[in-house]
Amino acid sequence: MSNLLYMDIVSDIEEKISKGVLKDGNKLPSERELSIQFKVSRTVVREAINVLREKGYVDVQMGRGAFITKPNGTIVTDSLQRVINSTNSKMTDILEVREELELAIIKKAVSKATKSNIDSLKKIFAKMEMKKFNINEFIEEDTNFHMELAKTTQNNIFYVLTSSFLDLTDKALFQVTKYTPFSVHEAQKQHWDIIQAIEMRDEVLAVKTILNHTQMIRDEIKMLQDQKVFLDE
């Protein structure tokens, strides 16, 4: 056993998950059983369970025990938030990374989007049209649009990362839309251009539209910052 005794337990369980020995929903042995198996105290076992829970591999249910669970977007978001807080990153820094992510996604979307993906984007766009005058509902559908866009890559990692970055910027984008409601109409034009570019397999138009879309958000945030309406937190 290493000096960090709990890490041996963590490594063992992570390996069993990766090899399929432990699957989503499986219940872990009790603290007593794990302490006997690894020849450590129950305090060490609890520390290992806490680490696994923080990593998103274990869901601890009061009175029932610890269960294997798949890491989800919330875990990624929390980790990113801790990094952002520890590095004093600003909203503009987050948006810069999100822009690079959007660019990678749109290029994949042009080549990999299925007819079903495109139809889904059109349905979401139609809902956004009906909700242009309700900020909360419009932003919710806007989020759905970008999540669906991530799905077109056929790569779940893009989907998880998009979910995390949308969570990180949700509050800021709500403020932007609240104070600049006129931007909804331009945003909708860009959303439709994105759909058309994907449908025509036109990567140049798709990239140009995404860049215009993210630049519009940057410009609006800067305007609100200059007016002391919106500030980086």
Side-chain angles (χ1 to χ4, degrees), residues 14-197:
E14 285 182 338
E15 184 178 359
K16 286 176 179 174
I17 292 172
S18 67
K19 290 182 177 179
V21 177
L22 289 173
K23 302 181 186 299
D24 189 27
N26 286 169
K27 188 176 186 295
L28 284 181
S30 67
E31 286 184 3
R32 179 177 176 279
E33 291 170 323
L34 286 172
S35 67
I36 293 172
Q37 178 184 340
F38 289 95
K39 297 182 175 59
V40 296
S41 70
R42 293 174 71 164
T43 300
V44 172
V45 171
R46 289 191 199 104
E47 186 66 29
I49 297 298
N50 283 334
V51 171
L52 288 164
R53 180 180 56 78
E54 289 174 0
K55 287 187 171 189
Y57 287 111
V58 163
D59 176 32
V60 179
Q61 300 178 17
M62 188 67 67
R64 296 191 63 214
F67 295 81
I68 301 299
T69 185
K70 293 179 181 178
N72 55 44
T74 302
I75 299 298
V76 178
T77 303
D78 291 344
S79 297
L80 284 171
Q81 189 65 67
R82 285 196 293 271
V83 171
I84 289 165
N85 292 340
S86 66
T87 56
N88 295 318
S89 299
K90 297 181 179 180
M91 180 55 62
T92 49
D93 298 324
I94 300 171
L95 287 171
E96 183 179 1
V97 178
R98 177 180 163 180
E99 181 180 290
E100 293 300 320
L101 178 62
E102 296 269 18
L103 281 171
I105 287 172
I106 199 64
K107 291 176 182 178
K108 294 283 185 184
V110 169
S111 62
K112 295 194 171 185
T114 64
K115 183 181 183 302
S116 176
N117 290 142
I118 295 170
D119 288 344
S120 294
L121 287 170
K122 288 180 177 179
K123 287 177 183 176
I124 296 170
F125 175 85
K127 289 181 182 178
M128 294 170 77
E129 278 293 289
M130 292 188 293
K131 298 176 178 179
K132 285 192 293 189
F133 301 103
N134 185 313
I135 293 174
N136 287 327
E137 292 184 7
F138 180 84
I139 290 176
E140 183 179 343
E141 292 302 335
D142 186 54
T143 297
N144 291 337
F145 184 90
H146 286 276
M147 291 302 296
E148 186 63 35
L149 198 59
K151 282 184 182 179
T152 66
T153 64
Q154 318 305 327
N155 184 327
N156 194 50
I157 295 176
F158 279 120
Y159 184 85
V160 172
L161 288 174
T162 296
S163 176
S164 296
F165 273 94
L166 286 173
D167 286 344
L168 291 171
T169 56
D170 182 65
K171 184 178 178 181
L173 297 185
F174 174 81
Q175 286 182 278
V176 169
T177 308
K178 178 182 176 181
Y179 288 103
T180 59
F182 55 84
S183 66
V184 166
H185 300 283
E186 180 60 27
Q188 274 297 82
K189 181 181 181 302
Q190 292 168 347
H191 287 139
W192 183 249
D193 287 345
I194 287 170
I195 294 172
Q196 291 294 291

